[in-house]
Structure formats: C-alpha cells, structure tokens
Amino acid sequence: MPLRLYNTLGNKVEEFAPSDDNLVRMYCCGPTVYDYGHIGNFRTFVAVDVLRRHLLQSGRKLRHVMNITDVDDRIIERSAAQHITVRQYTEKFEQAFFDDMALLAIHKPEVIARATDNIPEMARLIEGLAQKGIAYRADDGSYYFRIARFPGYGKLSRKDLAHIEDGARVDSDRFDKEEIRDFALWKAPKPGEARWQTEIGEGRPGWHIECSAMAMKYLGPSFDLHAGGEDLMFPHHENEIAQSEAFTGQTFARFWFHVRFLLVEGQKMSKSVGNFFTVRDLVLKGHKPSSLRFLLAGAPYRKQLNFTFDGLKSASSSVERLRNFKLRLEAPLPPGRNPAMQQLAQDTQRLMAAALDDDLNAAEFSAAIFEMVRQANTAADSGQLFAEDAPPLLAALAQFDHIFDVMEDRDAAFTARVVEWARRERPDVEISEAALQLAASASVGDGEIEKLVAEHVAARKARNFFRSDAIRNELASRNIVLENMKDGTVRWRRK
RNA sequence: GGCGCGGUAGCCAAGUGGUAAGGCCGAGGUCUGCAAAACCUCUAUCGUGAGUUCGAUUCUCACCCGCGCCUCCA
C-alpha cells in the first residue's frame, strides 16, 4: 500500500514516493543549540522520527539530513556575555540535544550538519544569487534577497505579498533593504561579534541560507521531502525555497511536512506563562522518558497536541499495559496453537501498516495494538492462548515498537543520568521523590532482587504472609513489583 | 485585518452518508491469603441553528467558542 502524506505545498494529502529508486532523501530543520530543548521542539523531532521509522519499515532506503543551527543572534549574544567562542558555547547544548534525543528514542539522521561547518557553501550560494541579480549587497557588506525577482514567492505559505508589506514590523535592517520584505542572506559583522571570512566578505550567515546550502549539498538541488515545525513555514521555509529555486531553477523539495505546535495545558508554551518545560524538567519531576515518547508519538502530527500532566500519566499507564502484555507472552504457555490468535496477529499487523500509510495515523496505529492486547489477554485468561501463538503476537508487538519504541525499559537508567546531570549542573533545581526513587532503582541489581524474591517465595510457602508481604513492600518501595501467579511462581518487574 | 486548524463520553482521541475505534481515570464484578496483573459489565446521539438527502456526527451555509501562523518561537 502506498504511503499518503499531507503536503503543505498544495495543502492536500498526496501519495508519497521517492523520485529516485527507493531512496528517500529528506531534510529536517534541526535545533538551534542556544539552550536545552523543550518538549515542543521534541514533538517535531519525534514526529519526524515516526516518519523515518515508517519509511524504513516500509522497505525504503533513507538519506535524512538534519542541520544544527549553531550560530544565531541568541548564541552570539550569550557566548559574548560569557566571553567564550560560539563553538564553546554551543557544544554543550549540542551534546545535550543528542542526549535528549536518546532519552526520547529518536534515531539519529544519516547526516547531521552544523551551520558553522558549512559557511563556504553558503557564501558560494549567495555569490551565485548575486551574479544572477537576485541578491544584492548593501553598503555595510550585508547581502539581501530581492524578493521581487522571485515570482513564486509565497507559494508555500500562500501569503499575499501586499499584506506582508502592510503588516511587517519595521526592523533595524530596513534602511539597507530595497524593500521591507527582502530578507538577509548574509549579515555584515558588528563590533565584537563572531564572524567568518569568506569570498563574499566578512560576516555571518542569515538564518535561512544554511538550510538551502546544506540541503542541496547533501541531497542535491531537488529532493523528496522537507520537514519542520509549523512556525517555520513562514518565513523560514518560504525563504529557503526562494533562495534555492532562484539559484538552481529546479524544484527544491517536492513534499513539505509540517508538524503542528504543542500546547501545554491548553496554552502556548512560554516562559512567562510558566508552562515551559524541557525534557529534563519532566524527568526530574519523576515522569518517565517512555511516557513522553508515547504521548508525543501517539498524537497525530497535524493536530495541535495539548500536553497535560494527566495525559503524561495516562501514557505511562498505557506503556505499562503493553510491557505487562509482553511479559505475559514471554512467560511459559501451554503447548499448542489457537488459529484465532494467529489470525489476530496477522490482522493487527495489516491494520498498523495501513494506519501509518494513511498520513501517519498514529491513533489508529496504536488502537490496533491495544485491540490485539485485549483479545489476546482474554484468550489467555480463558486458557485459549498457547505457546505457538506467542511468536506471531510478539511479531506484531515488535512491529508496533519499531515505531513507538517504548517496550524496552530504559527509564530508570535515563532518569539516573538526568538526576546526576541536575546535581552537577543545576543544583538549584528541585528533584522529585519519584525521580530519585526511579533513578535509585537503576542500580538495584537483578541478583539482589532475585534473592529477596526467593525469600518471599519461601515465606509464602510457609504461609508466613507477614514476612512475604514485608518483602513485597520493601521491593515496592524500590520500584520493583512482585506478582504472585496462580501456579505459585512469582514474576517481578520494574515499575 | 489576512491565512489556516479544531470543537466527539470525566480526560486524551480515531472515524464514517446508514444510528460512534482505542487509551486513561472511575464504579461494580471475576480471579486471589492479601496485593499485582488480567478479564467482564457500566458511562456519548458527535458545539448551535438551518439546508441537501430516504437517512448526517460525517456534505453545504450561518453563528458561537477555542487555537495557531502572519515577529530568526519546533
């Protein structure tokens, strides 16, 4: 079944296929590494991760490029304030970004490109535009893009150019521009600012040029898909199109994939409202990374996602349910097979694939797996689930997890890492009891648990329930759950 | 003002011209020494009004409400 995706360019769902063999070439606007990433940033990256995982699972080859914006006004300002170089300032946040990606199980793109590593490419692009008369140099050495020379301007965001002029706030560069709507390709250096020496002079790149230069460097003048947050549609992506297409005369990206904003408790996230959260903030409050991953991955990427703490708790319960189901399948089952279960697993796999092919319908995708879980649990409760049924059901579960990636429990270890980071770097930030407990459980060894479990079993056998319950409570306080099975055996798991 | 999105059970949320997936929470029940897990049962006529239609939550129009972009914020 073909993949159908919503294309912002044209505003409709279209069939998506790579133009070149089976190789999908895609570009995703990455982070500006001026601070720790917030959950809104990661909503976009999780959505793109779901897309990339689905493409791979559908048998596509992938060349996915993501930029790291490691120079912009904020970075220049802050690094100057701390009297360190731009690179010294950004490397810490770049590393933090990758750590947070790992926390949320976001796979790394094939190519990660830093803006500051590609300045010559940008300069060449600007020079080419200048030679065509599309870019012009201002008196101070800055370069601007002459929008009047690019007739297609506004096709992505469907802007009425007249209104841009009307509504545009007058910015400080305006006296150098021929027209207010023209945008900066290259900024002449100001005293004390970071600068690069290039063939078009000294200075630093404008924001948009990096993506044009790097996308074309790694993917060619024309490629399959370009992704980013919805706010980037205008002006960033519009300007990327203008720069690139004016330069090459070819279509820049065929598909534009935009992820809608995340709201927090019904409101746009902002520091002044006090509803601004980084991934680390949530972990330190005791929420599991897998809960956040589940929440973000499960929401349709084209709808506003209202992030709430209730929702996060709900996600946590859902993940626990799935993990419990997997444990049940991995435990010994009576010999035999149930054709209905075989059929169920097969149907579920088909439904999941179809759901994602339908513009990444994550809600239907996860509904399919939960339906399977319920039916299989029902069968198991009535003794109708057998050893030979486990592999196909596990295969369906694996197909689910190839996309969501929440089954493996890395929560305690990740939390321990974040707690350690907070103690080192952010001693002022409060660490919740829940986070501490979860982090501590990471260092409780299996051997130690097994020993207590054995003691618990012995006590129960002797009908010393006082003792056995005490052990169970003791383990519970360390985030270990004991479950006494019907046959007298005990199963334990980390909560 | 321009452009766009959404209003479905307590919360999150899918979906279809023929009387509503899934998850979470809650209540009751089964199982159980107690827990845990799991299962079963219960909880919606789909923002309001009008129109099209044999029939609309799903199509059209109007209205109300919420939200986003139009500011180098994902």
Side-chain angles (χ1 to χ4, degrees), chain A residues 39 68 93 136 230 281 308 355 377 381 395 402 413 430 454 467 482 490 493:
Chain A
I39 56 177
I68 300 282
F93 293 112
Y136 58 91
E230 64 168 331
D281 289 336
T308 63
N377 270 327
D381 277 359
H402 274 143
E430 189 190 338
R467 176 65 187 146
L482 286 197
V490 173
R493 62 190 165 89

Side-chain angles (χ1 to χ4, degrees), chain A residues 122-235:
Chain A
M122 298 180 215
R124 274 199 290 282
L125 186 53
I126 295 167
E127 192 177 28
L129 287 168
Q131 277 167 10
K132 287 172 190 257
I134 294 158
Y136 58 91
R137 188 176 189 275
D139 290 342
D140 67 349
S142 295
Y143 281 80
Y144 294 96
F145 186 95
R146 187 175 275 134
I147 284 182
R149 287 291 308 276
F150 186 70
Y153 194 80
K155 68 179 175 181
L156 180 68
S157 51
R158 281 151 302 137
K159 294 283 174 209
D160 181 343
L161 296 183
H163 284 288
I164 293 174
E165 224 163 330
D166 286 350
R169 180 186 285 188
V170 176
D171 79 44
S172 58
D173 298 328
R174 74 166 173 143
F175 297 113
D176 296 326
K177 294 187 199 174
E178 291 176 359
E179 286 189 54
I180 279 178
R181 58 198 180 129
D182 288 353
F183 59 90
L185 295 163
W186 186 257
K187 296 180 177 184
K190 292 182 186 140
E193 275 189 0
R195 63 195 61 196
W196 283 263
Q197 194 61 248
T198 71
E199 55 203 87
I200 58 166
E202 206 177 22
R204 63 188 173 97
W207 175 32
H208 318 294
I209 196 71
E210 64 174 88
C211 288
S212 288
M214 296 192 287
M216 292 197 285
K217 174 178 176 180
Y218 292 106
L219 299 172
S222 186
F223 55 96
D224 297 309
L225 186 143
H226 191 126
E230 64 168 331
D231 60 314
L232 297 180
M233 202 164 95
F234 184 88

Side-chain angles (χ1 to χ4, degrees), chain A residues 456-487:
Chain A
H456 167 85
V457 171
R460 267 189 100 224
K461 211 166 189 176
R463 299 194 67 80
N464 181 353
F465 294 123
F466 182 79
R467 176 65 187 146
S468 67
D469 288 355
I471 292 170
R472 195 163 56 198
N473 290 337
E474 154 68 14
L475 284 168
S477 73
R478 298 211 247 164
N479 261 13
I480 310 297
V481 178
L482 286 197
E483 300 181 11
N484 299 109
M485 312 307 279
K486 275 185 190 147
D487 59 8

